[in-house]
Amino acid sequence: MLHNRRILVVEDEYHIAEEVAEALAEEGAEVLGPVATVPAALAMAEGEERIDAALLDVNLGGGMIWPVVDLLVGRNVPVVLTTGYDAGSLPERYAHLPRCEKPVALREITRALQRALPS
Amino acid sequence: MSHPETMMKRQRVLGDFGEAALRSQDLNEVLDEACRLVGEALGTGRAKILEILETERQLLVRAGVGWETGIVGRLRLPMEEHSSETFAIDEGRPVISQDVAREDRFDVPAFMKEAGVVSFVNVPIFLPGGRPFGLLQVDATEPRDFGEDDIRFLRTYTAILGPVIDRLLIARTLRSTEERFRLTVEQALDYGIFLTDPEDRITDWLPGARAVYGWAAEEVIGQPSAIIFTPEDRQENRDAWETETASREGVAPNVRWHLRKGGERVFIEGSTRALRDPDGTLLGFLKIGQDMTERLMAERRLEEEKERFRVLVEGMPQLVWRSDGEGQWTWGSPQWLAYTGQRQEETHGRGWLRAVHPDDRAAAVDAWHEARACGALDVEFRLRRAADGSYRWHRTRAVPLRDEASVPRPESRILEWLGTSTDIDDLKRLQGQQSILVAELQHRTRNLLGVVRSIARRSFDPSPGREEYEARLSALGRVQGFLSRSPTWEVALADLLDAELMAAGDGTSERIVVSGPPLQLPGDKVQPLALALHELATNAVKHGAIGQPDGRLKVIWRLEDGRGPPLLLLDWEESGVAMPAPSVERRGYGRELIERALPYQLQARTRLEFMPDGVRCRIALPLRDPEDEEPATWPRGGEHAP
């Protein structure tokens, strides 16, 4: 389903990043990253020519992902957030974005990405 | 032409009247005598004096002789244009009516006709200065031509009568004035009034003095007025200073504590006035003083009360203010002024709003509209701190001050509002930090679950056990999610079931029925129950109703609210399932959770059965701990050992 899709993964926790990247690769996706910091994520979000979707951890070691979200949304890239926060803790303007609550089941992530991608 | 005898008689009458007028001080008596003598002199035996009552435009029969009772002192005649009486007064000269029967110039009063009066003469009486007092009227019961002599006599007579009446009227006025004055002074019991001689010895002691100072007149007459001065004042010769000042300047203030008979003190506000006769000789002193003790004490208490209030208001950290019902301030406390930098009059009316953050002003005004309806004001807004220009959150509350309800107004009225504004900025900041911390904690907890799961993936080769483990960690994560979202630390049972069934399959299908009343599970029951439901759902996917195309699942619960704590009764019923052969699965972790963990941790009663067409599970879960009903019994170690 995610075959040949270029998916940006931003996750600051190594184990989770690896696990997610592996699972996406198994689904046939081409993983961009994963990267763990806001600057690295910004660089990829800006520099990559083609991004089909992005899976973004909200809290990156204390730094918030919002600048990256803004940039990607500006590029019309579908975004799925992963977070330990509940919706009430998120800024209002991002509360509508698709969201997987941690700890996320891998199946849930792939489902959320498939829904987010234009078919 | 008059008879010498008549002349003599009339001379004698004049003399008699002169004597009578000198003897008597009573106006009525003198006027009656005047009528008697004139009736005698003119031989009519009948006469009367009418007094003008200016304001009423009436004539009162003031005195008379030869009249029936009910006339003299009572009868009033209107001063009409067509009466002989009015005519005589207006003309200022005697008017004669020789025969009433043939009279066509005037109307004659009925009572005179009834009394048989046939002729009469009216002579006006003037007081010195020309003001008319009234009339002397001499009546006869036969036609009579009052001659020149009669008229001359009557004129002389009224000329004497005028000044006599005038003197008696003045005396009467003086007497009543004096009487009024005496009554007034004696009734003034709040005023200590007394007189002293030039040596300041008491000569007159009025009732008010007795009331104020306690002494009776006989106890103090002849005493120096120093007896009502305090020892301290006497020491300083205040008594002498007062009379000396009064002698020199006419009056001296007397505002100080005085002594009463029993030694109690009264505060007097008054003066000492020197009394002198017309040639300047000092006659003594008039001392008038009002007892102000009660008022002074009341004022002092009020001052103390005000001072206490001021200290309280100015000492508290809150900003205090007073307002009318529309949020129109009348006063802001010194703290408000110091905090906002406003001047007192700048706070008045809606002026205080200028210290409120512009974004919060509408809310502040709205709060006042609501306050009128609900009888209390409670609103949060930011106030500008003058010291550094920062805006800090304040909670502002006010309650109305009401007057007493009364019969005509059963609803008490709001007099004003008394309010405080409390700085809650630090509190708000701490609350903000706290919610950030809570969010951070959630984030870390759930990240940690993810990390633990992923480490397990790295540590163990793929196996059914590893997948089950991962799924269980996910269930734990979902529980954490629910709990962190709930402000009341409660989770709806239906949400919990939906989440587990969702995670197990791709969602609900028509083969699954979930039904029961809305029910909030207490936070401490959520995790064990969620794990048990997770095991049931996972099993149903692998071996049961969810996984098999013909399988059906019903999850039904109800609340049993009888004796003891309320009980949740939950039934998990699978049907249409082709049951696998008994295996180790049946003694697995799920079974352990249901049959042992739930009774152990939640005091639940559970039953798990493997029926030929599917799994049945019943969970009876007390929703409150038995400890809530009765005192907890904890193991107490060795202290009860025998």
Side-chain angles (χ1 to χ4, degrees):
Chain A
M1 299 282 188
L2 297 175
H3 206 70
N4 287 334
R5 297 293 199 178
R6 288 164 63 82
I7 295 174
L8 171 62
V9 176
V10 182
E11 166 63 60
D12 66 338
E13 191 64 57
Y14 169 79
H15 286 99
I16 298 176
E18 286 303 309
E19 184 182 39
V20 168
E22 215 168 276
L24 293 181
E26 273 171 27
E27 296 285 327
E30 184 183 337
V31 174
L32 305 177
V35 292
T37 65
V38 175
L42 277 175
M44 295 207 66
E46 241 169 354
E48 285 297 328
E49 213 160 282
R50 194 190 115 209
I51 305 176
D52 294 318
L55 186 69
L56 307 173
D57 184 14
V58 168
N59 185 334
L60 299 173
M64 300 306 271
I65 193 71
W66 311 127
V68 183
V69 175
D70 293 340
L71 208 154
L72 290 170
V73 169
R75 283 184 62 177
N76 288 321
V77 175
V79 160
V80 173
L81 302 177
T82 60
T83 174
Y85 299 125
D86 62 72
S89 304
L90 297 181
E92 211 172 307
R93 53 185 295 226
Y94 302 115
H96 68 283
L97 293 171
R99 193 163 36 86
C100 297
E101 291 193 7
K102 288 186 170 184
V104 274
L106 296 170
R107 202 167 46 209
E108 210 181 307
I109 287 178
T110 52
R111 268 208 301 260
L113 282 170
Q114 279 161 4
R115 272 197 296 270
L117 280 163
S119 42
Chain B
M1 287 298 110
S2 64
H3 245 257
E5 206 175 304
T6 313
M7 288 281 285
M8 287 292 288
K9 187 180 175 189
R10 290 182 179 174
Q11 288 295 336
R12 186 175 53 75
V13 163
L14 285 174
D16 286 353
F17 176 69
E19 264 177 52
L22 282 176
R23 267 200 317 276
S24 176
Q25 297 296 317
D26 184 333
L27 182 60
N28 288 339
E29 198 179 289
V30 168
L31 294 181
D32 281 340
E33 183 65 6
C35 292
R36 196 185 62 77
L37 286 171
V38 81
E40 195 183 307
L42 269 75
T44 59
R46 208 183 271 241
K48 57 186 179 297
I49 291 174
L50 304 168
E51 182 184 355
I52 300 169
L53 302 177
E54 201 66 57
T55 49
E56 288 105 325
R57 293 293 297 160
Q58 282 179 340
L59 291 167
L60 169 67
V61 181
R62 181 64 194 259
V65 66
W67 293 96
E68 284 174 27
T69 49
I71 304 278
V72 175
R74 301 257 177 86
L75 191 83
R76 290 157 179 248
L77 302 174
M79 288 179 75
E80 286 165 3
E81 254 175 73
H82 290 288
S83 77
S84 64
E85 293 84 2
T86 310
F87 185 73
I89 291 166
D90 289 348
E91 291 288 302
R93 59 183 174 85
V95 170
I96 301 161
S97 187
Q98 292 171 340
D99 190 344
V100 169
R102 287 185 289 142
E103 184 58 71
D104 54 4
R105 293 170 300 166
F106 319 111
D107 299 329
V108 177
F111 83 98
M112 285 172 65
K113 288 181 183 164
E114 282 161 19
V117 171
V118 172
S119 60
F120 61 83
V121 59
N122 290 335
V123 189
I125 306 169
F126 290 97
L127 300 174
R131 189 165 66 85
F133 169 77
L135 284 177
L136 173 64
Q137 198 166 51
V138 182
D139 311 287
T141 46
E142 70 268 9
R144 174 165 174 170
D145 179 16
F146 291 95
E148 197 67 24
D149 289 349
D150 293 337
I151 297 303
R152 202 176 299 133
F153 167 71
L154 287 172
R155 279 194 150 161
T156 311
Y157 196 71
T158 53
I160 296 171
L161 205 48
V164 169
I165 291 170
D166 190 45
R167 180 179 68 81
L168 291 174
L169 282 175
I170 290 170
R172 190 177 60 177
T173 310
L174 271 180
R175 264 204 312 282
S176 71
T177 305
E178 265 176 46
E179 180 73 359
R180 271 207 304 274
F181 182 69
R182 189 181 61 78
L183 283 171
T184 307
V185 169
E186 288 183 357
Q187 291 304 308
L189 293 180
D190 289 340
Y191 289 86
I193 302 174
F194 61 99
L195 293 163
T196 62
D197 64 13
E199 278 73 47
D200 204 21
R201 284 183 304 248
I202 295 164
T203 55
D204 296 84
W205 190 255
L206 284 121
R210 174 172 193 158
V212 170
Y213 298 107
W215 304 89
E218 57 272 23
E219 295 174 305
V220 291
I221 299 286
Q223 298 273 351
S225 71
I227 60 165
I228 58 163
F229 279 72
T230 63
E232 308 92 89
D233 285 346
R234 275 189 300 233
Q235 191 88 38
E236 291 181 19
N237 294 317
R238 298 303 301 184
D239 48 338
W241 176 88
E242 233 172 69
T243 50
E244 280 160 19
T245 307
S247 302
R248 196 173 57 245
E249 294 174 13
V251 64
N254 179 8
V255 181
R256 58 171 54 82
W257 289 97
H258 285 64
L259 277 187
R260 275 174 60 87
K261 182 182 179 186
E264 315 94 334
R265 298 194 169 201
V266 281
F267 193 83
I268 299 294
E269 263 184 42
S271 62
T272 293
R273 191 173 287 276
L275 299 176
R276 295 180 186 277
D277 72 5
D279 61 13
T281 313
L282 182 67
L283 299 174
F285 300 95
L286 167 64
K287 303 196 173 197
I288 301 179
Q290 193 179 5
D291 181 355
M292 303 295 283
T293 315
E294 271 303 309
R295 194 192 294 180
L296 188 79
M297 298 311 264
E299 277 172 10
R300 199 170 280 187
R301 278 194 298 274
L302 196 65
E303 277 309 311
E304 284 171 5
E305 203 62 44
K306 276 189 192 163
E307 179 63 10
R308 261 201 296 278
F309 178 73
R310 190 189 63 78
V311 168
L312 180 71
V313 163
E314 295 182 10
M316 61 202 287
Q318 281 86 356
L319 319 178
V320 187
W321 42 265
R322 292 161 64 184
S323 170
D324 77 358
E326 307 286 346
Q328 303 279 348
W329 281 24
T330 54
W331 179 79
S333 74
Q335 296 98 304
W336 174 279
L337 307 183
Y339 193 92
T340 62
Q342 286 188 313
R343 280 179 290 115
Q344 178 63 248
E345 55 276 18
E346 285 177 326
T347 69
H348 294 181
R350 287 277 172 86
W352 57 275
L353 263 179
R354 280 194 289 275
V356 176
H357 193 288
D359 294 351
D360 301 344
R361 284 177 194 166
V365 172
D366 287 349
W368 269 108
H369 293 318
E370 274 171 42
R372 282 172 61 78
C374 64
L377 178 81
D378 193 343
V379 59
E380 289 180 7
F381 49 66
R382 282 163 290 178
L383 282 178
R384 188 175 181 280
R385 184 162 66 182
D388 57 0
S390 66
Y391 281 97
R392 291 175 65 81
W393 282 100
H394 279 70
R395 180 165 185 189
T396 291
R397 281 189 277 200
V399 286
L401 214 67
R402 296 172 184 275
D403 64 0
E404 301 271 323
S406 60
V407 176
R409 243 182 336 93
E411 294 286 312
S412 69
R413 234 172 359 149
I414 292 178
L415 297 174
E416 65 171 348
W417 291 68
L418 216 53
T420 59
S421 298
T422 310
D423 190 331
I424 53 163
D425 205 65
D426 291 340
L427 192 68
K428 264 216 175 301
R429 211 195 317 281
L430 283 174
Q431 278 172 348
Q433 282 170 1
Q434 195 181 33
S435 63
I436 290 171
L437 277 178
V438 167
E440 186 62 24
L441 195 65
Q442 282 174 27
H443 165 75
R444 290 188 185 208
T445 306
R446 296 168 75 176
N447 234 6
L448 188 63
L449 283 171
V451 172
V452 167
R453 190 181 63 192
S454 130
I455 289 175
R457 277 175 89 84
R458 294 303 165 120
S459 310
F460 309 108
D461 292 333
S463 69
R466 194 186 81 176
E467 269 170 35
E468 279 173 17
Y469 172 70
E470 284 175 8
R472 283 166 187 152
L473 281 183
S474 293
L476 270 182
R478 284 191 291 275
V479 169
Q480 292 307 315
F482 279 125
L483 286 177
S484 65
R485 273 194 294 275
S486 164
T488 55
W489 193 242
E490 284 177 333
V491 178
L493 176 59
D495 292 347
L496 212 57
L497 266 166
D498 280 351
E500 288 313 318
L501 292 171
M502 273 283 253
D506 274 335
T508 50
S509 81
E510 69 280 4
R511 294 187 291 116
I512 303 176
V513 174
V514 177
S515 139
L519 189 135
Q520 294 288 322
L521 284 172
D524 58 334
K525 318 266 187 250
V526 172
Q527 184 169 303
L529 188 63
L531 286 178
L533 294 173
H534 170 75
E535 294 302 323
L536 285 168
T538 309
N539 184 70
V541 170
K542 282 186 191 159
H543 314 290
I546 299 176
Q548 295 183 17
D550 297 332
R552 293 185 172 277
L553 170 63
K554 250 177 25 177
V555 188
I556 292 169
W557 70 90
R558 61 191 167 89
L559 195 64
E560 203 173 78
D561 210 351
R563 280 188 302 277
L567 206 62
L568 162 66
L569 287 174
L570 183 139
D571 285 302
W572 179 288
E573 289 179 18
E574 294 180 33
S575 59
V577 175
M579 291 296 277
S583 73
V584 260
E585 286 292 330
R586 294 189 174 180
R587 289 186 298 278
Y589 176 61
R591 186 166 194 171
E592 182 186 334
L593 263 181
I594 291 165
E595 291 184 335
R596 295 181 60 191
L598 291 185
Y600 177 84
Q601 199 170 336
L602 302 182
Q603 289 76 49
R605 278 176 290 114
T606 58
R607 194 177 65 215
L608 180 63
E609 289 172 305
F610 297 89
M611 307 299 279
D613 64 341
V615 169
R616 305 280 157 81
C617 178
R618 160 165 276 212
I619 299 172
L621 176 69
L623 291 176
R624 275 206 311 271
D625 294 335
E627 284 91 286
D628 293 350
E629 318 295 326
E630 56 200 57
T633 49
W634 294 98
R636 289 180 186 249
E639 65 182 90
H640 286 292

